[in-house]
Coordinates of all heavy atoms in Angstrom, one line a residue:
M10 N 0.9 -1.2 0.0 CA 0.0 0.0 0.0 C 0.9 1.2 0.0 O 1.9 1.3 0.7 CB -0.9 0.0 1.2 CG -1.8 1.2 1.4 SD -2.9 1.1 2.8 CE -4.3 0.4 2.0
R11 N 0.5 2.2 -0.8 CA 1.3 3.5 -0.9 C 1.3 4.2 0.5 O 0.3 4.1 1.2 CB 0.6 4.4 -1.9 CG 0.8 4.0 -3.3 CD 0.0 4.8 -4.3 NE 0.1 6.2 -4.1 CZ 0.6 7.0 -5.0 NH1 1.0 6.6 -6.1 NH2 0.7 8.3 -4.7
I12 N 2.3 4.9 0.8 CA 2.4 5.6 2.1 C 1.4 6.6 2.3 O 0.8 6.7 3.4 CB 3.9 6.1 2.3 CG1 4.0 6.8 3.7 CG2 4.2 7.2 1.2 CD1 4.0 5.9 4.8
D13 N 1.0 7.3 1.3 CA 0.0 8.3 1.5 C -1.4 7.8 1.8 O -2.1 8.2 2.7 CB -0.1 9.3 0.3 CG -0.3 8.6 -1.0 OD1 -0.2 7.4 -1.1 OD2 -0.7 9.3 -2.0
K14 N -1.7 6.6 1.1 CA -3.0 5.9 1.4 C -2.9 5.3 2.8 O -3.9 5.3 3.5 CB -3.2 4.8 0.4 CG -3.6 5.4 -1.0 CD -3.9 4.2 -1.9 CE -4.3 4.7 -3.3 NZ -4.6 3.6 -4.2
F15 N -1.8 4.7 3.2 CA -1.6 4.1 4.5 C -1.8 5.1 5.6 O -2.6 4.8 6.6 CB -0.2 3.4 4.6 CG 0.0 2.8 5.9 CD1 -0.5 1.6 6.2 CD2 0.8 3.4 6.9 CE1 -0.3 1.0 7.4 CE2 1.0 2.8 8.1 CZ 0.4 1.6 8.4
L16 N -1.2 6.3 5.6 CA -1.3 7.3 6.6 C -2.8 7.7 6.8 O -3.3 7.8 7.9 CB -0.5 8.5 6.3 CG 1.0 8.3 6.4 CD1 1.8 9.6 5.9 CD2 1.5 7.9 7.7
N17 N -3.5 7.8 5.7 CA -4.9 8.1 5.8 C -5.8 6.9 6.2 O -6.7 7.1 7.1 CB -5.4 8.6 4.4 CG -6.8 9.1 4.4 OD1 -7.3 9.8 5.3 ND2 -7.6 8.7 3.5
S18 N -5.5 5.8 5.8 CA -6.3 4.6 6.1 C -6.2 4.2 7.6 O -7.2 3.8 8.2 CB -5.8 3.4 5.3 OG -6.6 2.3 5.5
V19 N -5.0 4.4 8.2 CA -4.9 4.1 9.6 C -5.1 5.2 10.5 O -4.8 5.2 11.7 CB -3.6 3.4 10.0 CG1 -3.4 2.1 9.2 CG2 -2.4 4.2 9.7
N20 N -5.7 6.3 10.0 CA -6.1 7.5 10.8 C -4.9 8.3 11.4 O -5.1 8.9 12.5 CB -7.1 7.1 11.9 CG -8.3 6.6 11.3 OD1 -8.9 7.1 10.4 ND2 -8.7 5.4 11.7
I21 N -3.7 8.3 10.8 CA -2.6 9.1 11.3 C -2.9 10.5 10.8 O -2.7 11.5 11.5 CB -1.3 8.6 10.8 CG1 -1.0 7.3 11.5 CG2 -0.2 9.6 11.1 CD1 0.3 6.6 11.1
T22 N -3.4 10.6 9.5 CA -3.9 11.9 9.0 C -5.4 11.8 8.7 O -5.9 10.7 8.4 CB -3.1 12.3 7.7 OG1 -3.4 11.3 6.7 CG2 -1.6 12.4 7.9
K23 N -6.0 13.0 8.7 CA -7.4 13.0 8.5 C -7.8 12.8 7.0 O -8.9 12.3 6.7 CB -8.1 14.3 9.1 CG -8.0 14.3 10.5 CD -8.9 15.2 11.1 CE -8.8 15.4 12.6 NZ -9.5 14.4 13.3
R24 N -7.0 13.4 6.1 CA -7.3 13.4 4.7 C -6.0 12.9 3.9 O -4.9 13.2 4.4 CB -7.7 14.7 4.2 CG -9.1 15.1 4.7 CD -9.5 16.4 4.1 NE -8.6 17.6 4.4 CZ -8.6 18.2 5.5 NH1 -9.4 17.9 6.5 NH2 -7.8 19.2 5.7
R25 N -6.2 12.3 2.8 CA -5.1 11.8 2.0 C -4.3 13.0 1.5 O -3.0 12.9 1.3 CB -5.6 10.9 0.9 CG -4.4 10.3 0.0 CD -5.0 9.3 -0.9 NE -3.9 9.0 -1.8 CZ -4.2 8.5 -3.0 NH1 -5.4 8.3 -3.4 NH2 -3.2 8.2 -3.9
S26 N -5.0 14.1 1.2 CA -4.3 15.3 0.7 C -3.3 15.9 1.7 O -2.2 16.4 1.4 CB -5.2 16.4 0.2 OG -6.0 16.8 1.3
V27 N -3.7 15.7 3.0 CA -2.8 16.2 4.1 C -1.5 15.2 4.1 O -0.4 15.7 4.2 CB -3.5 16.1 5.5 CG1 -2.5 16.4 6.6 CG2 -4.6 17.1 5.5
A28 N -1.7 14.0 3.9 CA -0.6 13.0 3.9 C 0.3 13.3 2.7 O 1.5 13.3 2.8 CB -1.1 11.6 3.8
Q29 N -0.3 13.6 1.5 CA 0.5 14.0 0.4 C 1.3 15.2 0.6 O 2.5 15.3 0.2 CB -0.4 14.1 -0.8 CG -1.0 12.8 -1.3 CD -2.0 12.9 -2.4 OE1 -2.7 13.9 -2.5 NE2 -2.2 11.9 -3.2
D30 N 0.7 16.2 1.2 CA 1.5 17.5 1.5 C 2.6 17.2 2.4 O 3.7 17.7 2.2 CB 0.5 18.5 2.1 CG -0.4 19.2 1.1 OD1 -0.1 19.0 -0.1 OD2 -1.4 19.8 1.5
M31 N 2.4 16.4 3.5 CA 3.5 16.0 4.4 C 4.6 15.3 3.7 O 5.8 15.6 4.0 CB 2.9 15.2 5.6 CG 2.0 16.0 6.5 SD 1.2 14.9 7.6 CE 2.6 14.4 8.7
I32 N 4.3 14.4 2.8 CA 5.3 13.7 2.1 C 6.1 14.6 1.1 O 7.3 14.5 1.1 CB 4.7 12.5 1.3 CG1 4.1 11.5 2.3 CG2 5.6 11.8 0.4 CD1 3.1 10.5 1.8
S33 N 5.3 15.4 0.5 CA 6.1 16.3 -0.5 C 7.0 17.3 0.2 O 8.0 17.8 -0.4 CB 5.1 17.0 -1.4 OG 4.3 17.9 -0.7
N34 N 6.7 17.6 1.5 CA 7.5 18.5 2.2 C 8.6 17.8 2.9 O 9.5 18.4 3.7 CB 6.7 19.3 3.3 CG 5.9 20.4 2.6 OD1 6.3 21.0 1.6 ND2 4.6 20.6 3.0
G35 N 8.7 16.5 2.8 CA 9.9 15.7 3.3 C 9.8 15.5 4.8 O 10.9 15.2 5.4
V36 N 8.6 15.5 5.4 CA 8.6 15.2 6.9 C 8.3 13.8 7.2 O 8.2 13.4 8.4 CB 7.6 16.1 7.6 CG1 8.0 17.6 7.4 CG2 6.2 15.9 7.0
V37 N 8.0 12.9 6.2 CA 7.7 11.5 6.4 C 8.9 10.7 6.0 O 9.4 10.8 4.9 CB 6.4 11.1 5.7 CG1 6.1 9.6 5.9 CG2 5.2 12.0 6.1
E38 N 9.3 9.7 6.9 CA 10.4 8.9 6.5 C 9.9 7.4 6.7 O 9.1 7.1 7.6 CB 11.6 9.1 7.4 CG 12.2 10.5 7.4 CD 13.3 10.7 8.4 OE1 13.6 9.7 9.2 OE2 13.9 11.8 8.4
I39 N 10.4 6.5 5.9 CA 10.2 5.1 6.0 C 11.6 4.5 6.2 O 12.4 4.5 5.4 CB 9.5 4.5 4.8 CG1 8.2 5.1 4.6 CG2 9.3 3.0 5.0 CD1 7.4 4.7 3.4
N40 N 11.7 3.8 7.4 CA 13.0 3.2 7.8 C 14.2 4.1 7.6 O 15.3 3.8 7.1 CB 13.3 1.9 6.9 CG 12.2 0.9 7.2 OD1 11.7 0.7 8.3 ND2 11.8 0.1 6.2
G41 N 14.0 5.4 8.0 CA 15.1 6.4 8.0 C 15.3 7.1 6.7 O 16.2 7.9 6.6
V42 N 14.6 6.7 5.7 CA 14.7 7.4 4.3 C 13.5 8.2 4.0 O 12.4 7.8 4.2 CB 14.9 6.3 3.2 CG1 15.0 6.9 1.9 CG2 16.1 5.4 3.6
V43 N 13.7 9.5 3.6 CA 12.6 10.4 3.3 C 11.8 9.7 2.2 O 12.3 9.2 1.2 CB 13.2 11.7 2.8 CG1 12.0 12.6 2.3 CG2 13.9 12.4 3.9
A44 N 10.5 9.6 2.5 CA 9.6 8.9 1.6 C 9.0 9.7 0.4 O 8.9 11.0 0.6 CB 8.4 8.3 2.4
K45 N 8.7 9.1 -0.7 CA 8.0 9.7 -1.7 C 6.5 9.1 -1.7 O 6.3 8.0 -1.2 CB 8.6 9.4 -3.1 CG 10.0 10.0 -3.2 CD 10.5 9.8 -4.6 CE 11.9 10.4 -4.8 NZ 12.5 10.3 -6.1
A46 N 5.6 9.8 -2.3 CA 4.2 9.4 -2.2 C 3.9 8.0 -2.8 O 3.0 7.2 -2.4 CB 3.3 10.3 -2.9
S47 N 4.8 7.6 -3.7 CA 4.6 6.3 -4.4 C 5.2 5.2 -3.7 O 5.1 4.0 -4.0 CB 5.1 6.4 -5.8 OG 6.5 6.7 -5.8
K48 N 6.0 5.4 -2.6 CA 6.7 4.4 -1.8 C 5.7 3.5 -1.1 O 4.7 3.9 -0.5 CB 7.6 5.1 -0.8 CG 8.4 4.2 0.1 CD 9.5 3.5 -0.7 CE 10.3 2.6 0.3 NZ 11.2 1.7 -0.4
N49 N 5.9 2.2 -1.2 CA 5.0 1.2 -0.6 C 5.5 1.0 0.9 O 6.7 0.9 1.1 CB 5.0 -0.1 -1.4 CG 4.2 0.0 -2.6 OD1 3.2 0.8 -2.7 ND2 4.5 -0.7 -3.7
V50 N 4.5 0.7 1.7 CA 4.7 0.4 3.1 C 4.6 -1.1 3.2 O 3.7 -1.7 2.6 CB 3.7 1.1 4.0 CG1 3.9 0.7 5.5 CG2 3.8 2.6 3.9
E51 N 5.4 -1.7 4.0 CA 5.4 -3.2 4.3 C 5.3 -3.4 5.7 O 5.7 -2.6 6.6 CB 6.7 -3.8 3.6 CG 6.8 -3.6 2.2 CD 8.1 -4.1 1.6 OE1 9.0 -4.5 2.5 OE2 8.3 -4.1 0.4
V52 N 4.8 -4.6 6.1 CA 4.8 -5.0 7.5 C 6.2 -5.0 8.1 O 7.1 -5.5 7.5 CB 4.1 -6.4 7.7 CG1 4.2 -6.9 9.1 CG2 2.7 -6.4 7.2
G53 N 6.4 -4.4 9.2 CA 7.7 -4.3 9.9 C 8.4 -3.0 9.6 O 9.4 -2.7 10.3
S54 N 7.9 -2.2 8.7 CA 8.5 -0.9 8.4 C 8.3 0.1 9.6 O 7.3 0.0 10.3 CB 7.9 -0.2 7.1 OG 8.2 -1.0 6.0
V55 N 9.2 1.0 9.7 CA 9.1 2.0 10.7 C 8.8 3.4 10.0 O 9.7 3.8 9.2 CB 10.3 2.1 11.6 CG1 10.2 3.3 12.6 CG2 10.5 0.9 12.4
V56 N 7.7 4.0 10.3 CA 7.3 5.3 9.6 C 7.6 6.3 10.7 O 7.0 6.3 11.8 CB 5.9 5.2 9.2 CG1 5.4 6.6 8.6 CG2 5.6 4.1 8.2
T57 N 8.3 7.4 10.3 CA 8.7 8.5 11.2 C 8.0 9.7 10.6 O 8.2 10.0 9.4 CB 10.2 8.7 11.3 OG1 10.8 7.4 11.7 CG2 10.5 9.7 12.3
I58 N 7.3 10.5 11.4 CA 6.8 11.8 11.0 C 7.4 12.8 11.9 O 7.3 12.8 13.1 CB 5.2 11.8 11.2 CG1 4.6 10.7 10.3 CG2 4.7 13.2 10.8 CD1 3.1 10.6 10.5
N59 N 8.1 13.8 11.2 CA 8.8 14.8 11.9 C 8.0 16.1 11.9 O 7.9 16.8 10.9 CB 10.2 15.1 11.2 CG 11.1 13.9 11.2 OD1 11.3 13.3 12.2 ND2 11.5 13.5 10.0
Y60 N 7.3 16.4 13.0 CA 6.5 17.5 13.2 C 7.5 18.7 13.6 O 8.7 18.5 13.8 CB 5.5 17.3 14.3 CG 4.4 16.3 14.0 CD1 4.4 15.1 14.6 CD2 3.4 16.6 13.0 CE1 3.5 14.1 14.2 CE2 2.4 15.6 12.7 CZ 2.5 14.4 13.3 OH 1.5 13.4 13.0
L61 N 7.0 19.9 13.7 CA 7.8 21.0 14.0 C 8.5 20.9 15.4 O 9.7 21.2 15.5 CB 7.0 22.3 14.1 CG 6.4 22.7 12.7 CD1 5.5 24.0 13.0 CD2 7.5 23.1 11.8
N62 N 7.9 20.4 16.4 CA 8.5 20.3 17.7 C 8.7 18.9 18.2 O 9.2 18.7 19.4 CB 7.8 21.2 18.7 CG 6.3 20.8 18.8 OD1 5.8 19.9 18.0 ND2 5.5 21.5 19.6
E63 N 8.4 17.9 17.4 CA 8.5 16.5 17.9 C 8.6 15.5 16.7 O 8.1 15.9 15.6 CB 7.5 16.1 18.9 CG 6.1 16.0 18.2 CD 5.0 15.6 19.2 OE1 5.3 14.8 20.2 OE2 3.9 16.0 19.0
S64 N 9.0 14.3 17.0 CA 8.9 13.3 16.0 C 8.2 12.1 16.5 O 8.3 11.8 17.8 CB 10.4 12.8 15.6 OG 11.0 13.8 14.9
K65 N 7.3 11.5 15.7 CA 6.6 10.3 16.1 C 7.0 9.2 15.2 O 7.1 9.3 14.0 CB 5.1 10.5 16.1 CG 4.6 11.5 17.1 CD 3.2 11.4 17.3 CE 2.8 12.3 18.5 NZ 1.4 12.1 18.9
K66 N 7.2 8.0 15.8 CA 7.6 6.8 15.1 C 6.5 5.7 15.2 O 6.0 5.6 16.3 CB 8.9 6.2 15.6 CG 10.1 7.0 15.2 CD 11.4 6.3 15.6 CE 12.6 7.1 15.1 NZ 13.8 6.4 15.4
Y67 N 6.1 5.1 14.1 CA 5.1 4.1 14.1 C 5.7 2.8 13.5 O 6.3 2.9 12.4 CB 3.9 4.5 13.4 CG 3.2 5.8 13.9 CD1 3.6 7.0 13.3 CD2 2.4 5.8 14.9 CE1 2.9 8.2 13.8 CE2 1.8 6.9 15.4 CZ 2.1 8.1 14.9 OH 1.5 9.3 15.3
E68 N 5.4 1.7 14.1 CA 5.8 0.4 13.4 C 4.5 -0.1 12.8 O 3.5 -0.1 13.3 CB 6.3 -0.6 14.5 CG 6.7 -1.9 13.8 CD 7.2 -2.9 14.8 OE1 7.3 -2.6 16.0 OE2 7.5 -4.1 14.4
V69 N 4.7 -0.6 11.5 CA 3.6 -1.1 10.7 C 3.4 -2.6 11.1 O 4.3 -3.4 11.0 CB 3.8 -1.0 9.2 CG1 2.7 -1.6 8.4 CG2 4.1 0.4 8.8
L70 N 2.3 -2.9 11.7 CA 2.0 -4.3 12.1 C 1.2 -5.0 11.1 O 1.3 -6.3 11.0 CB 1.1 -4.2 13.5 CG 1.8 -3.5 14.6 CD1 0.8 -3.5 15.8 CD2 3.1 -4.2 15.0
Q71 N 0.4 -4.3 10.3 CA -0.5 -5.0 9.4 C -0.9 -4.0 8.4 O -1.1 -2.8 8.7 CB -1.7 -5.5 10.2 CG -2.7 -6.4 9.4 CD -3.8 -6.9 10.2 OE1 -3.8 -6.8 11.5 NE2 -4.9 -7.3 9.6
I72 N -1.2 -4.4 7.1 CA -1.6 -3.5 6.0 C -3.1 -3.6 5.9 O -3.7 -4.7 5.8 CB -0.9 -3.9 4.7 CG1 0.6 -3.9 4.8 CG2 -1.4 -3.0 3.6 CD1 1.2 -2.5 5.1
P73 N -3.8 -2.5 6.1 CA -5.3 -2.5 5.9 C -5.7 -2.9 4.5 O -5.1 -2.6 3.6 CB -5.8 -1.2 6.3 CG -4.6 -0.3 6.3 CD -3.4 -1.2 6.3
T74 N -6.9 -3.7 4.5 CA -7.4 -4.1 3.2 C -8.5 -3.1 2.7 O -8.9 -3.3 1.5 CB -7.9 -5.5 3.2 OG1 -8.9 -5.6 4.3 CG2 -6.8 -6.5 3.5
T75 N -9.0 -2.3 3.6 CA -10.0 -1.4 3.2 C -9.5 0.0 3.1 O -8.4 0.4 3.6 CB -11.2 -1.4 4.2 OG1 -10.6 -1.1 5.5 CG2 -11.8 -2.8 4.3
K76 N -10.3 1.0 2.5 CA -9.9 2.3 2.3 C -9.7 3.1 3.6 O -8.9 3.9 3.8 CB -10.9 3.0 1.4 CG -10.5 4.4 1.0 CD -11.5 5.0 0.0 CE -11.1 6.4 -0.4 NZ -12.1 7.0 -1.4
S77 N -10.6 2.8 4.6 CA -10.5 3.4 5.9 C -10.8 2.4 7.0 O -11.5 1.4 6.8 CB -11.5 4.6 6.0 OG -12.8 4.1 5.9
T78 N -10.2 2.6 8.2 CA -10.4 1.7 9.3 C -11.0 2.6 10.4 O -10.7 3.7 10.6 CB -9.1 1.1 9.7 OG1 -8.2 2.1 10.0 CG2 -8.6 0.2 8.6
P79 N -11.7 1.9 11.3 CA -12.2 2.7 12.5 C -11.1 3.0 13.4 O -10.1 2.3 13.5 CB -13.2 1.7 13.2 CG -13.4 0.6 12.2 CD -12.4 0.6 11.2
K80 N -11.1 4.2 14.0 CA -10.1 4.6 14.9 C -9.8 3.6 16.0 O -8.7 3.5 16.5 CB -10.4 6.0 15.4 CG -9.2 6.7 16.1 CD -9.2 8.2 15.8 CE -8.0 8.8 16.4 NZ -7.1 9.4 15.5
S81 N -10.9 3.0 16.5 CA -10.8 2.0 17.6 C -9.9 0.8 17.2 O -9.4 0.1 18.1 CB -12.2 1.5 18.0 OG -12.8 0.9 16.9
L82 N -9.8 0.6 15.9 CA -8.9 -0.6 15.4 C -7.5 -0.2 15.0 O -6.8 -1.0 14.4 CB -9.6 -1.3 14.3 CG -11.0 -2.0 14.6 CD1 -11.5 -2.6 13.3 CD2 -10.9 -3.0 15.7
Q83 N -7.1 1.1 15.3 CA -5.8 1.6 14.9 C -4.7 0.7 15.4 O -3.7 0.5 14.8 CB -5.7 3.0 15.3 CG -4.5 3.7 14.8 CD -4.4 5.1 15.2 OE1 -4.8 5.5 16.3 NE2 -3.8 6.0 14.4
G84 N -4.8 0.2 16.6 CA -3.8 -0.6 17.3 C -3.5 -1.9 16.6 O -2.4 -2.5 16.8
Q85 N -4.4 -2.4 15.7 CA -4.1 -3.6 14.9 C -3.1 -3.4 13.8 O -2.5 -4.2 13.3 CB -5.4 -4.2 14.4 CG -6.3 -4.7 15.4 CD -7.6 -5.2 14.8 OE1 -7.8 -5.2 13.6 NE2 -8.5 -5.7 15.6
Y86 N -3.1 -2.1 13.4 CA -2.3 -1.8 12.2 C -1.0 -1.1 12.4 O 0.0 -1.3 11.7 CB -3.1 -0.9 11.2 CG -4.4 -1.6 10.8 CD1 -5.6 -1.3 11.3 CD2 -4.3 -2.6 9.8 CE1 -6.8 -1.9 10.9 CE2 -5.5 -3.3 9.4 CZ -6.7 -2.9 10.0 OH -7.9 -3.6 9.6
I87 N -0.9 -0.2 13.5 CA 0.3 0.4 13.8 C 0.6 0.4 15.3 O -0.4 0.2 16.1 CB 0.3 1.9 13.4 CG1 -0.9 2.6 14.0 CG2 0.3 2.0 11.9 CD1 -0.9 4.1 13.8
K88 N 1.8 0.5 15.7 CA 2.2 0.6 17.1 C 3.1 1.8 17.2 O 4.1 1.9 16.5 CB 3.0 -0.7 17.5 CG 3.5 -0.6 19.0 CD 4.0 -2.0 19.4 CE 5.4 -2.0 19.0 NZ 6.1 -3.2 19.6
E89 N 2.8 2.7 18.1 CA 3.6 4.0 18.3 C 4.8 3.6 19.1 O 4.7 3.1 20.2 CB 2.7 5.0 19.0 CG 3.4 6.4 19.0 CD 2.5 7.5 19.4 OE1 1.3 7.4 19.4 OE2 3.1 8.5 19.9
L90 N 6.0 4.0 18.6 CA 7.2 3.7 19.2 C 7.7 4.8 20.1 O 8.4 4.6 21.1 CB 8.3 3.3 18.2 CG 7.9 2.1 17.3 CD1 9.0 1.9 16.2 CD2 7.8 0.8 18.1
S91 N 7.4 6.0 19.6 CA 7.9 7.2 20.5 C 7.0 8.4 20.2 O 6.3 8.4 19.3 CB 9.3 7.5 20.1 OG 9.4 8.0 18.8

């Protein structure tokens, strides 16, 4: 699954366009490498989002099969590392 779709699908971002803007500005990394919107996410990958005053890391546990997932099931797909 593409990183922009993944961020939206697991409710890290509210809209896919927000995820695309974050990626184009270089604040999203996959396994320590700045991601492009077409980059695929795999189980076990570490996604880092560098906000202005903090960074958050998420480990990918599972790839969602649907376009959106309920926020209550977010823990099945990602685990926050920091």
Side-chain angles (χ1 to χ4, degrees):
M10 176 177 269
R11 291 169 50 116
I12 182 65
D13 56 347
K14 288 183 179 180
F15 178 79
L16 292 175
N17 183 44
S18 182
V19 297
N20 300 308
I21 293 175
T22 60
K23 294 201 182 275
R24 290 182 303 280
R25 186 171 167 205
S26 61
V27 172
Q29 289 172 332
D30 286 344
M31 291 172 70
I32 293 165
S33 66
N34 288 323
V36 299
V37 179
E38 299 176 0
I39 300 175
N40 297 326
V42 178
V43 176
K45 294 185 179 181
S47 60
K48 179 73 174 163
N49 284 328
V50 179
E51 300 172 354
V52 174
S54 297
V55 176
V56 177
T57 306
I58 301 176
N59 299 307
Y60 295 105
L61 292 174
N62 52 1
E63 67 177 332
S64 292
K65 289 197 175 192
K66 289 187 178 186
Y67 302 95
E68 181 181 356
V69 179
L70 303 176
Q71 188 177 343
I72 303 296
T74 56
T75 58
K76 187 175 180 180
S77 63
T78 58
K80 193 140 180 120
S81 60
L82 298 179
Q83 187 179 34
Q85 293 180 359
Y86 300 102
I87 58 171
K88 179 173 84 172
E89 189 169 342
L90 300 175
S91 62

